[in-house]
Amino acid sequence: MTVAPDRRVIFSADDFGMSVEVNEAIEEAHRNGLLSTASLMVAAPAFEDALRRAQRMPNLKLGLHLVVIEGDSQLHLPIITDQKGWFGSNQLALGFQYFFSPATRSALKKEIHAQFQQFARTGLELNHANAHKHMHLHPTIGRIMLHVGKAYGLKAVRTPMEPAAPLGEKPSLGDRALEQWTRILRRQIHQAGMKTNDSCFGLRWSGHMTPERIHHLIPQLPPGVSEIYFHPAKGQNSQMATLMPGYQPEQELATLTSPVTKDLLAANAIQTTTWDAL
């Protein structure tokens, strides 16, 4: 008799606090769907609205969605943000600056500390952490995030390693490069004594995690713990439309609330889980 491999999945949402439209969708996906986990942007425009919703959803596991690119900062330090306290969008340029400039690294550490501190002020339990645009793959940011986070009780961090085969694709050069970066991050996480996932889905299809795609993916999920992360929203405001053109947030919400999604998990003996249950 062949024993089926153990497969568990975390359904999560990023950008909690980015807008009321995002917050509404996260609340609906948690109350009426499979969403167990969300990552909170503590300096974002709708942070206070997200906090009020979180306080009336005690079973929603919340973590810090650290922002060091393309988003609002907590401290508005001029060496790392513009006059409005906004981080730049050029990932390559920021990566070089964060790695080579001691003054930038000092400011970055202060900002990361401030974001963890702001999360702690909410009184919510810190379930996990990750970074906007996966910037914690940058060794400097990953190291600082883990070091600072540990002081705030951080115990779990996302490793954004997305295998190609379950998506019906062949590994590309980009996949091989990502694998190298995730090895560094995974080693940092393990050295910090923290938990992480085995696989992660949401990179290739970011903004397009539609029911059709996810229903095809679920039976193909690999052994171990997979995190499937989403960007649900009830619509896009002007800023979201500029930053995420072409995204289908309503379809992502539909995936999380679809009865078919839940039925497929049961049919394939895949259990839902959360970071604290690992």
Side-chain angles (χ1 to χ4, degrees), residues 91-130:
Q91 199 161 19
L92 182 61
L94 288 174
F96 275 103
Q97 183 184 359
Y98 291 159
F99 188 81
F100 288 107
S101 169
T104 296
R105 289 197 300 273
S106 177
L108 194 61
K109 186 173 182 179
K110 291 177 183 177
E111 173 66 28
I112 291 173
H113 185 281
Q115 290 188 33
F116 273 104
Q117 189 175 55
Q118 179 68 358
F119 188 101
R121 288 194 190 103
T122 68
L124 300 167
E125 182 178 353
L126 180 65
N127 178 259
H128 63 279
N130 51 56

mmCIF file of all heavy atoms in Angstrom, residues 91-130:
data_model
loop_
_atom_site.group_PDB
_atom_site.id
_atom_site.type_symbol
_atom_site.label_atom_id
_atom_site.label_comp_id
_atom_site.label_asym_id
_atom_site.label_seq_id
_atom_site.Cartn_x
_atom_site.Cartn_y
_atom_site.Cartn_z
ATOM 1 N N GLN A 91 14.282 48.112 -7.969
ATOM 2 C CA GLN A 91 14.765 47.043 -7.100
ATOM 3 C C GLN A 91 16.280 46.866 -7.190
ATOM 4 O O GLN A 91 16.948 46.664 -6.169
ATOM 5 C CB GLN A 91 14.060 45.736 -7.454
ATOM 6 C CG GLN A 91 14.120 44.683 -6.361
ATOM 7 C CD GLN A 91 13.059 43.611 -6.548
ATOM 8 O OE1 GLN A 91 12.511 43.443 -7.624
ATOM 9 N NE2 GLN A 91 12.751 42.895 -5.485
ATOM 10 N N LEU A 92 16.827 46.961 -8.380
ATOM 11 C CA LEU A 92 18.264 46.778 -8.556
ATOM 12 C C LEU A 92 19.050 47.896 -7.885
ATOM 13 O O LEU A 92 20.016 47.639 -7.148
ATOM 14 C CB LEU A 92 18.611 46.712 -10.049
ATOM 15 C CG LEU A 92 20.084 46.471 -10.398
ATOM 16 C CD1 LEU A 92 20.554 45.133 -9.832
ATOM 17 C CD2 LEU A 92 20.297 46.530 -11.908
ATOM 18 N N ALA A 93 18.625 49.145 -8.115
ATOM 19 C CA ALA A 93 19.325 50.287 -7.519
ATOM 20 C C ALA A 93 19.243 50.238 -5.990
ATOM 21 O O ALA A 93 20.248 50.481 -5.293
ATOM 22 C CB ALA A 93 18.732 51.595 -8.046
ATOM 23 N N LEU A 94 18.067 49.931 -5.460
ATOM 24 C CA LEU A 94 17.923 49.831 -4.012
ATOM 25 C C LEU A 94 18.779 48.703 -3.459
ATOM 26 O O LEU A 94 19.379 48.836 -2.389
ATOM 27 C CB LEU A 94 16.451 49.602 -3.647
ATOM 28 C CG LEU A 94 15.505 50.796 -3.811
ATOM 29 C CD1 LEU A 94 14.072 50.370 -3.557
ATOM 30 C CD2 LEU A 94 15.899 51.926 -2.875
ATOM 31 N N GLY A 95 18.832 47.577 -4.171
ATOM 32 C CA GLY A 95 19.641 46.450 -3.720
ATOM 33 C C GLY A 95 21.091 46.821 -3.563
ATOM 34 O O GLY A 95 21.734 46.476 -2.551
ATOM 35 N N PHE A 96 21.641 47.533 -4.556
ATOM 36 C CA PHE A 96 23.033 47.980 -4.463
ATOM 37 C C PHE A 96 23.223 48.954 -3.307
ATOM 38 O O PHE A 96 24.195 48.878 -2.548
ATOM 39 C CB PHE A 96 23.468 48.632 -5.778
ATOM 40 C CG PHE A 96 23.952 47.655 -6.805
ATOM 41 C CD1 PHE A 96 23.154 47.293 -7.873
ATOM 42 C CD2 PHE A 96 25.213 47.081 -6.697
ATOM 43 C CE1 PHE A 96 23.590 46.377 -8.826
ATOM 44 C CE2 PHE A 96 25.670 46.175 -7.643
ATOM 45 C CZ PHE A 96 24.859 45.811 -8.711
ATOM 46 N N GLN A 97 22.302 49.897 -3.167
ATOM 47 C CA GLN A 97 22.401 50.898 -2.103
ATOM 48 C C GLN A 97 22.343 50.243 -0.731
ATOM 49 O O GLN A 97 23.146 50.559 0.159
ATOM 50 C CB GLN A 97 21.274 51.919 -2.247
ATOM 51 C CG GLN A 97 21.336 53.052 -1.225
ATOM 52 C CD GLN A 97 20.142 53.998 -1.342
ATOM 53 O OE1 GLN A 97 19.278 53.809 -2.194
ATOM 54 N NE2 GLN A 97 20.094 54.988 -0.477
ATOM 55 N N TYR A 98 21.427 49.301 -0.549
ATOM 56 C CA TYR A 98 21.281 48.640 0.741
ATOM 57 C C TYR A 98 22.506 47.788 1.084
ATOM 58 O O TYR A 98 22.819 47.588 2.255
ATOM 59 C CB TYR A 98 20.033 47.747 0.736
ATOM 60 C CG TYR A 98 18.713 48.491 0.704
ATOM 61 C CD1 TYR A 98 17.547 47.856 0.259
ATOM 62 C CD2 TYR A 98 18.615 49.818 1.098
ATOM 63 C CE1 TYR A 98 16.333 48.525 0.230
ATOM 64 C CE2 TYR A 98 17.407 50.492 1.067
ATOM 65 C CZ TYR A 98 16.267 49.838 0.626
ATOM 66 O OH TYR A 98 15.073 50.508 0.600
ATOM 67 N N PHE A 99 23.183 47.297 0.055
ATOM 68 C CA PHE A 99 24.332 46.416 0.304
ATOM 69 C C PHE A 99 25.625 47.198 0.539
ATOM 70 O O PHE A 99 26.415 46.859 1.425
ATOM 71 C CB PHE A 99 24.524 45.463 -0.882
ATOM 72 C CG PHE A 99 25.561 44.401 -0.641
ATOM 73 C CD1 PHE A 99 25.242 43.253 0.074
ATOM 74 C CD2 PHE A 99 26.858 44.545 -1.120
ATOM 75 C CE1 PHE A 99 26.201 42.274 0.313
ATOM 76 C CE2 PHE A 99 27.821 43.568 -0.896
ATOM 77 C CZ PHE A 99 27.484 42.431 -0.172
ATOM 78 N N PHE A 100 25.845 48.259 -0.252
ATOM 79 C CA PHE A 100 27.164 48.903 -0.250
ATOM 80 C C PHE A 100 27.280 50.142 0.640
ATOM 81 O O PHE A 100 28.388 50.546 0.968
ATOM 82 C CB PHE A 100 27.553 49.282 -1.683
ATOM 83 C CG PHE A 100 27.899 48.095 -2.541
ATOM 84 C CD1 PHE A 100 27.028 47.676 -3.537
ATOM 85 C CD2 PHE A 100 29.079 47.397 -2.344
ATOM 86 C CE1 PHE A 100 27.339 46.582 -4.332
ATOM 87 C CE2 PHE A 100 29.397 46.300 -3.136
ATOM 88 C CZ PHE A 100 28.526 45.891 -4.127
ATOM 89 N N SER A 101 26.164 50.757 1.019
ATOM 90 C CA SER A 101 26.239 52.011 1.776
ATOM 91 C C SER A 101 26.022 51.792 3.270
ATOM 92 O O SER A 101 24.916 51.448 3.697
ATOM 93 C CB SER A 101 25.189 53.001 1.250
ATOM 94 O OG SER A 101 25.065 54.103 2.122
ATOM 95 N N PRO A 102 27.059 52.015 4.101
ATOM 96 C CA PRO A 102 26.889 51.865 5.548
ATOM 97 C C PRO A 102 25.823 52.804 6.121
ATOM 98 O O PRO A 102 25.061 52.410 7.010
ATOM 99 C CB PRO A 102 28.277 52.203 6.109
ATOM 100 C CG PRO A 102 29.218 51.914 4.976
ATOM 101 C CD PRO A 102 28.451 52.290 3.734
ATOM 102 N N ALA A 103 25.768 54.032 5.607
ATOM 103 C CA ALA A 103 24.772 54.984 6.109
ATOM 104 C C ALA A 103 23.364 54.515 5.783
ATOM 105 O O ALA A 103 22.440 54.649 6.596
ATOM 106 C CB ALA A 103 25.022 56.367 5.503
ATOM 107 N N THR A 104 23.201 53.935 4.587
ATOM 108 C CA THR A 104 21.898 53.409 4.191
ATOM 109 C C THR A 104 21.520 52.227 5.071
ATOM 110 O O THR A 104 20.364 52.109 5.514
ATOM 111 C CB THR A 104 21.919 52.974 2.720
ATOM 112 O OG1 THR A 104 22.138 54.127 1.903
ATOM 113 C CG2 THR A 104 20.599 52.329 2.326
ATOM 114 N N ARG A 105 22.460 51.348 5.334
ATOM 115 C CA ARG A 105 22.170 50.179 6.177
ATOM 116 C C ARG A 105 21.776 50.607 7.590
ATOM 117 O O ARG A 105 20.891 50.003 8.205
ATOM 118 C CB ARG A 105 23.377 49.244 6.232
ATOM 119 C CG ARG A 105 23.627 48.505 4.936
ATOM 120 C CD ARG A 105 24.543 47.306 5.150
ATOM 121 N NE ARG A 105 25.837 47.682 5.681
ATOM 122 C CZ ARG A 105 26.883 48.052 4.926
ATOM 123 N NH1 ARG A 105 26.758 48.095 3.605
ATOM 124 N NH2 ARG A 105 28.030 48.367 5.482
ATOM 125 N N SER A 106 22.404 51.648 8.097
ATOM 126 C CA SER A 106 22.050 52.156 9.424
ATOM 127 C C SER A 106 20.614 52.673 9.443
ATOM 128 O O SER A 106 19.836 52.374 10.368
ATOM 129 C CB SER A 106 23.016 53.273 9.823
ATOM 130 O OG SER A 106 22.659 53.820 11.075
ATOM 131 N N ALA A 107 20.246 53.432 8.403
ATOM 132 C CA ALA A 107 18.873 53.949 8.310
ATOM 133 C C ALA A 107 17.880 52.806 8.112
ATOM 134 O O ALA A 107 16.789 52.811 8.690
ATOM 135 C CB ALA A 107 18.771 54.939 7.153
ATOM 136 N N LEU A 108 18.281 51.832 7.322
ATOM 137 C CA LEU A 108 17.419 50.685 7.056
ATOM 138 C C LEU A 108 17.127 49.916 8.352
ATOM 139 O O LEU A 108 15.982 49.507 8.600
ATOM 140 C CB LEU A 108 18.105 49.771 6.047
ATOM 141 C CG LEU A 108 17.281 48.684 5.371
ATOM 142 C CD1 LEU A 108 16.127 49.290 4.574
ATOM 143 C CD2 LEU A 108 18.174 47.853 4.456
ATOM 144 N N LYS A 109 18.147 49.738 9.163
ATOM 145 C CA LYS A 109 17.943 49.033 10.434
ATOM 146 C C LYS A 109 16.969 49.794 11.337
ATOM 147 O O LYS A 109 16.097 49.197 11.976
ATOM 148 C CB LYS A 109 19.279 48.835 11.148
ATOM 149 C CG LYS A 109 19.173 47.974 12.399
ATOM 150 C CD LYS A 109 20.540 47.654 12.978
ATOM 151 C CE LYS A 109 20.424 46.744 14.193
ATOM 152 N NZ LYS A 109 21.753 46.387 14.758
ATOM 153 N N LYS A 110 17.085 51.121 11.371
ATOM 154 C CA LYS A 110 16.159 51.930 12.172
ATOM 155 C C LYS A 110 14.729 51.783 11.656
ATOM 156 O O LYS A 110 13.779 51.671 12.438
ATOM 157 C CB LYS A 110 16.586 53.399 12.134
ATOM 158 C CG LYS A 110 17.890 53.692 12.868
ATOM 159 C CD LYS A 110 18.278 55.156 12.710
ATOM 160 C CE LYS A 110 19.615 55.449 13.379
ATOM 161 N NZ LYS A 110 20.044 56.859 13.164
ATOM 162 N N GLU A 111 14.571 51.791 10.334
ATOM 163 C CA GLU A 111 13.242 51.675 9.741
ATOM 164 C C GLU A 111 12.630 50.307 10.000
ATOM 165 O O GLU A 111 11.446 50.201 10.353
ATOM 166 C CB GLU A 111 13.319 51.938 8.233
ATOM 167 C CG GLU A 111 12.034 51.681 7.470
ATOM 168 C CD GLU A 111 10.905 52.626 7.821
ATOM 169 O OE1 GLU A 111 11.172 53.773 8.234
ATOM 170 O OE2 GLU A 111 9.728 52.209 7.682
ATOM 171 N N ILE A 112 13.422 49.264 9.859
ATOM 172 C CA ILE A 112 12.913 47.912 10.099
ATOM 173 C C ILE A 112 12.523 47.753 11.563
ATOM 174 O O ILE A 112 11.467 47.178 11.883
ATOM 175 C CB ILE A 112 13.964 46.864 9.665
ATOM 176 C CG1 ILE A 112 14.099 46.877 8.143
ATOM 177 C CG2 ILE A 112 13.581 45.468 10.164
ATOM 178 C CD1 ILE A 112 15.212 46.001 7.605
ATOM 179 N N HIS A 113 13.333 48.280 12.449
ATOM 180 C CA HIS A 113 13.000 48.244 13.879
ATOM 181 C C HIS A 113 11.681 48.979 14.130
ATOM 182 O O HIS A 113 10.816 48.496 14.880
ATOM 183 C CB HIS A 113 14.130 48.888 14.685
ATOM 184 C CG HIS A 113 13.944 48.803 16.164
ATOM 185 N ND1 HIS A 113 13.098 49.650 16.863
ATOM 186 C CD2 HIS A 113 14.475 47.968 17.098
ATOM 187 C CE1 HIS A 113 13.134 49.347 18.149
ATOM 188 N NE2 HIS A 113 13.953 48.327 18.316
ATOM 189 N N ALA A 114 11.507 50.131 13.485
ATOM 190 C CA ALA A 114 10.297 50.933 13.699
ATOM 191 C C ALA A 114 9.056 50.202 13.200
ATOM 192 O O ALA A 114 7.981 50.305 13.815
ATOM 193 C CB ALA A 114 10.432 52.279 12.986
ATOM 194 N N GLN A 115 9.167 49.467 12.100
ATOM 195 C CA GLN A 115 8.002 48.736 11.590
ATOM 196 C C GLN A 115 7.634 47.574 12.517
ATOM 197 O O GLN A 115 6.449 47.331 12.769
ATOM 198 C CB GLN A 115 8.267 48.256 10.163
ATOM 199 C CG GLN A 115 8.304 49.404 9.162
ATOM 200 C CD GLN A 115 8.367 48.944 7.715
ATOM 201 O OE1 GLN A 115 7.808 47.905 7.342
ATOM 202 N NE2 GLN A 115 9.031 49.720 6.871
ATOM 203 N N PHE A 116 8.615 46.859 13.028
ATOM 204 C CA PHE A 116 8.314 45.815 14.011
ATOM 205 C C PHE A 116 7.721 46.431 15.279
ATOM 206 O O PHE A 116 6.790 45.876 15.876
ATOM 207 C CB PHE A 116 9.576 45.027 14.363
ATOM 208 C CG PHE A 116 9.857 43.868 13.441
ATOM 209 C CD1 PHE A 116 10.844 43.965 12.477
ATOM 210 C CD2 PHE A 116 9.130 42.684 13.530
ATOM 211 C CE1 PHE A 116 11.115 42.895 11.629
ATOM 212 C CE2 PHE A 116 9.389 41.619 12.686
ATOM 213 C CZ PHE A 116 10.384 41.719 11.721
ATOM 214 N N GLN A 117 8.243 47.571 15.673
ATOM 215 C CA GLN A 117 7.737 48.246 16.873
ATOM 216 C C GLN A 117 6.293 48.685 16.692
ATOM 217 O O GLN A 117 5.461 48.536 17.599
ATOM 218 C CB GLN A 117 8.626 49.450 17.200
ATOM 219 C CG GLN A 117 8.336 50.097 18.542
ATOM 220 C CD GLN A 117 9.331 51.192 18.855
ATOM 221 O OE1 GLN A 117 9.514 52.132 18.079
ATOM 222 N NE2 GLN A 117 9.997 51.078 19.997
ATOM 223 N N GLN A 118 5.981 49.193 15.509
ATOM 224 C CA GLN A 118 4.598 49.611 15.235
ATOM 225 C C GLN A 118 3.653 48.414 15.273
ATOM 226 O O GLN A 118 2.526 48.518 15.774
ATOM 227 C CB GLN A 118 4.524 50.310 13.871
ATOM 228 C CG GLN A 118 3.144 50.763 13.459
ATOM 229 C CD GLN A 118 2.596 51.906 14.307
ATOM 230 O OE1 GLN A 118 3.235 52.361 15.256
ATOM 231 N NE2 GLN A 118 1.399 52.368 13.977
ATOM 232 N N PHE A 119 4.101 47.281 14.725
ATOM 233 C CA PHE A 119 3.274 46.075 14.812
ATOM 234 C C PHE A 119 3.066 45.700 16.275
ATOM 235 O O PHE A 119 1.942 45.358 16.686
ATOM 236 C CB PHE A 119 3.930 44.913 14.055
ATOM 237 C CG PHE A 119 3.045 43.699 13.929
ATOM 238 C CD1 PHE A 119 2.367 43.446 12.751
ATOM 239 C CD2 PHE A 119 2.860 42.822 14.993
ATOM 240 C CE1 PHE A 119 1.530 42.337 12.626
ATOM 241 C CE2 PHE A 119 2.034 41.716 14.882
ATOM 242 C CZ PHE A 119 1.365 41.472 13.698
ATOM 243 N N ALA A 120 4.119 45.758 17.083
ATOM 244 C CA ALA A 120 4.014 45.393 18.498
ATOM 245 C C ALA A 120 3.029 46.304 19.226
ATOM 246 O O ALA A 120 2.311 45.855 20.131
ATOM 247 C CB ALA A 120 5.385 45.458 19.157
ATOM 248 N N ARG A 121 2.965 47.573 18.845
ATOM 249 C CA ARG A 121 2.050 48.522 19.490
ATOM 250 C C ARG A 121 0.588 48.128 19.303
ATOM 251 O O ARG A 121 -0.270 48.533 20.074
ATOM 252 C CB ARG A 121 2.265 49.927 18.931
ATOM 253 C CG ARG A 121 3.552 50.601 19.374
ATOM 254 C CD ARG A 121 3.504 52.088 19.060
ATOM 255 N NE ARG A 121 4.801 52.711 19.247
ATOM 256 C CZ ARG A 121 5.628 53.048 18.268
ATOM 257 N NH1 ARG A 121 5.261 52.851 17.004
ATOM 258 N NH2 ARG A 121 6.791 53.597 18.511
ATOM 259 N N THR A 122 0.290 47.375 18.262
ATOM 260 C CA THR A 122 -1.093 46.973 18.012
ATOM 261 C C THR A 122 -1.603 46.007 19.072
ATOM 262 O O THR A 122 -2.816 45.841 19.244
ATOM 263 C CB THR A 122 -1.239 46.295 16.637
ATOM 264 O OG1 THR A 122 -0.554 45.028 16.654
ATOM 265 C CG2 THR A 122 -0.690 47.176 15.528
ATOM 266 N N GLY A 123 -0.691 45.319 19.749
ATOM 267 C CA GLY A 123 -1.083 44.301 20.707
ATOM 268 C C GLY A 123 -1.417 42.978 20.066
ATOM 269 O O GLY A 123 -1.765 42.011 20.754
ATOM 270 N N LEU A 124 -1.296 42.890 18.742
ATOM 271 C CA LEU A 124 -1.564 41.645 18.023
ATOM 272 C C LEU A 124 -0.360 40.711 18.124
ATOM 273 O O LEU A 124 0.781 41.158 18.225
ATOM 274 C CB LEU A 124 -1.857 41.941 16.547
ATOM 275 C CG LEU A 124 -3.057 42.838 16.265
ATOM 276 C CD1 LEU A 124 -3.036 43.305 14.810
ATOM 277 C CD2 LEU A 124 -4.364 42.114 16.577
ATOM 278 N N GLU A 125 -0.632 39.413 18.074
ATOM 279 C CA GLU A 125 0.453 38.442 18.113
ATOM 280 C C GLU A 125 1.157 38.405 16.757
ATOM 281 O O GLU A 125 0.510 38.332 15.715
ATOM 282 C CB GLU A 125 -0.082 37.049 18.456
ATOM 283 C CG GLU A 125 1.010 36.000 18.557
ATOM 284 C CD GLU A 125 0.461 34.635 18.940
ATOM 285 O OE1 GLU A 125 -0.744 34.546 19.243
ATOM 286 O OE2 GLU A 125 1.241 33.660 18.921
ATOM 287 N N LEU A 126 2.489 38.452 16.785
ATOM 288 C CA LEU A 126 3.279 38.404 15.562
ATOM 289 C C LEU A 126 3.416 36.951 15.126
ATOM 290 O O LEU A 126 4.180 36.182 15.693
ATOM 291 C CB LEU A 126 4.661 39.029 15.798
ATOM 292 C CG LEU A 126 5.611 39.051 14.602
ATOM 293 C CD1 LEU A 126 5.071 39.952 13.491
ATOM 294 C CD2 LEU A 126 6.999 39.530 15.046
ATOM 295 N N ASN A 127 2.684 36.581 14.086
ATOM 296 C CA ASN A 127 2.635 35.194 13.636
ATOM 297 C C ASN A 127 3.771 34.844 12.686
ATOM 298 O O ASN A 127 4.242 33.710 12.656
ATOM 299 C CB ASN A 127 1.282 34.938 12.960
ATOM 300 C CG ASN A 127 1.135 33.529 12.417
ATOM 301 O OD1 ASN A 127 1.291 33.307 11.216
ATOM 302 N ND2 ASN A 127 0.859 32.572 13.293
ATOM 303 N N HIS A 128 4.230 35.836 11.893
ATOM 304 C CA HIS A 128 5.236 35.581 10.870
ATOM 305 C C HIS A 128 5.715 36.926 10.325
ATOM 306 O O HIS A 128 5.226 37.984 10.735
ATOM 307 C CB HIS A 128 4.637 34.767 9.716
ATOM 308 C CG HIS A 128 3.549 35.496 8.998
ATOM 309 N ND1 HIS A 128 2.253 35.552 9.476
ATOM 310 C CD2 HIS A 128 3.558 36.250 7.861
ATOM 311 C CE1 HIS A 128 1.517 36.288 8.665
ATOM 312 N NE2 HIS A 128 2.291 36.729 7.685
ATOM 313 N N ALA A 129 6.639 36.889 9.382
ATOM 314 C CA ALA A 129 7.043 38.097 8.662
ATOM 315 C C ALA A 129 7.480 37.723 7.252
ATOM 316 O O ALA A 129 7.914 36.599 6.987
ATOM 317 C CB ALA A 129 8.170 38.828 9.384
ATOM 318 N N ASN A 130 7.339 38.679 6.357
ATOM 319 C CA ASN A 130 7.879 38.590 5.004
ATOM 320 C C ASN A 130 8.094 40.029 4.549
ATOM 321 O O ASN A 130 7.883 40.956 5.322
ATOM 322 C CB ASN A 130 6.950 37.806 4.076
ATOM 323 C CG ASN A 130 5.525 38.311 4.117
ATOM 324 O OD1 ASN A 130 5.275 39.488 3.872
ATOM 325 N ND2 ASN A 130 4.574 37.438 4.450
#
